[in-house]
Amino acid sequence: MSAVVTLIAAASAVLDEQAVQAARASLTALGADTAKPDWLAPDRACDIAEEGLVPEQAEAAVRRALGGLAVDVIAQKPGNRKKRLLVADMESTIIEQEMLDELGDYVGLKDHIAAITARAMNGEIDFKGAVRERVALLKGLNESVVDEVWQRATLMPGAKTLVSTMRTNGATCVLVSGGFRCFTERVRQWVGFDDDRGNVLEVVDGVMTGAVVEPILDKDSKLEALLAYAGERHVPTVETMSVGDGANDLPMLLAAGLGVAFHAKPTVAAQARARVDHGDLTALLFAQGYRIGEFVEG
């Protein structure tokens, strides 16, 4: 039994020696042998290798020891840390917005649509039904609105660095979204993903019909995408990584070698095996053992 426990401070916080020593002490108190901390970035991220505990035990002990500090804790087996395939959700993960909510602003229903989105992302209502319900409210919108809404999109901090660093090191990076291709294609080009998948808004004569082209990409589709890309590229599942925030991401998070719930909805964070609550997307690089000097800026 062994694990590597990675501590990652939020951008606004500092990971100090006191916190690291508290983490080590929590592991040794349970009978683990710990190695000297390996700093991946000064004052920001470090690895603690331990023998004697499984990852789940190690993570729980360290989380208790650190209490309310703005430090993420990811524990995993020491092998196969650098992943060869990344499958990422788009909205509230790679970009900061939910673009369907933003489209809703143009029909005066942003708050209403956003409330449906929140319930769907927390797993409270059926995802496909929620997509159809929200898109129906957009009936009659001119297709040109997509270009206006796109101007609102902002990248999640660390997104380009995550993708650029992984691709530089030979990984394939794919964007798979329950959102729409009119946005996933643009985010793919902006960030540098190898490929993208998403749903398609039905448009006739330049006007949205209020329908989605079937079939709708949902949680099962995201899992299928992870397995398909891994199979096509002969990547063992243990060498895959997925990241997302919503209930429709959970199957792919649980199937990947390292599935990370990123600033996720409560039900998702509770079920995922790894989560980032405080840091930006570069936390996924530290979790793979990358040192800050190896980061490639996008």
Side-chain angles (χ1 to χ4, degrees), residues 16-260:
D16 58 25
E17 283 288 348
Q18 184 177 357
V20 173
Q21 292 309 316
R24 289 186 73 187
S26 72
L27 298 172
T28 57
L30 294 178
D33 293 322
T34 62
K36 180 180 178 181
D38 180 9
W39 286 89
L40 304 174
D43 302 323
R44 186 174 175 195
C46 78
D47 281 344
I48 302 173
E50 63 84 16
E51 291 281 349
L53 303 176
V54 298
E56 292 80 4
Q57 290 175 305
E59 180 177 331
V62 171
R63 284 189 181 278
R64 285 195 300 270
L66 297 184
L69 293 180
V71 175
D72 292 306
V73 181
I74 296 177
Q76 58 191 309
K77 294 179 180 179
N80 298 300
R81 287 182 68 189
K82 285 189 167 68
K83 306 305 183 184
R84 294 169 52 200
L85 172 66
L86 169 68
V87 177
D89 173 46
M90 179 179 71
E91 294 163 303
S92 299
T93 301
I94 297 299
I95 61 172
E96 296 181 307
Q97 292 74 26
E98 294 283 342
M99 299 307 286
L100 191 49
D101 297 357
E102 299 301 323
L103 283 170
D105 202 17
Y106 282 77
V107 290
L109 293 171
K110 181 175 181 178
D111 289 345
H112 177 63
I113 290 176
I116 300 171
T117 299
R119 293 180 65 202
M121 291 301 97
N122 203 38
E124 298 172 22
I125 56 176
D126 174 67
F127 179 80
K128 288 185 178 181
V131 170
R132 294 188 184 102
E133 180 181 357
R134 288 174 291 166
V135 171
L137 298 171
L138 304 180
K139 184 177 180 179
L141 268 185
N142 193 292
E143 184 183 19
S144 63
V145 167
V146 169
D147 293 330
E148 297 178 42
V149 169
W150 172 244
Q151 301 305 314
R152 303 183 180 188
T154 54
L155 285 182
M156 193 69 70
K160 281 192 174 184
T161 302
L162 170 64
V163 172
S164 296
T165 301
M166 290 188 68
R167 290 192 68 194
T168 297
N169 284 273
T172 298
C173 298
V174 181
L175 193 65
V176 180
S177 175
F180 295 95
R181 289 294 311 280
C182 55
F183 298 118
T184 63
E185 291 175 334
R186 302 179 194 217
V187 173
R188 170 177 55 78
Q189 296 171 6
W190 190 9
V191 180
F193 282 94
D194 293 284
D195 199 5
D196 69 282
R197 293 188 185 185
N199 289 308
V200 178
L201 288 167
E202 185 179 77
V203 176
V204 175
D205 296 329
V207 176
M208 297 180 196
T209 67
V212 185
V213 176
E214 300 285 344
I216 293 176
L217 190 155
D218 64 357
K219 63 181 182 180
D220 296 326
S221 308
K222 289 193 172 191
L223 174 59
E224 290 165 6
L226 171 72
L227 299 177
Y229 282 110
E232 290 168 5
R233 289 156 178 77
H234 307 289
V235 177
T237 304
V238 71
E239 295 182 29
T240 66
M241 170 180 276
S242 59
V243 60
D245 72 302
N248 63 325
D249 298 310
L250 195 54
M252 76 171 183
L253 297 182
L254 295 176
L258 181 60
V260 180

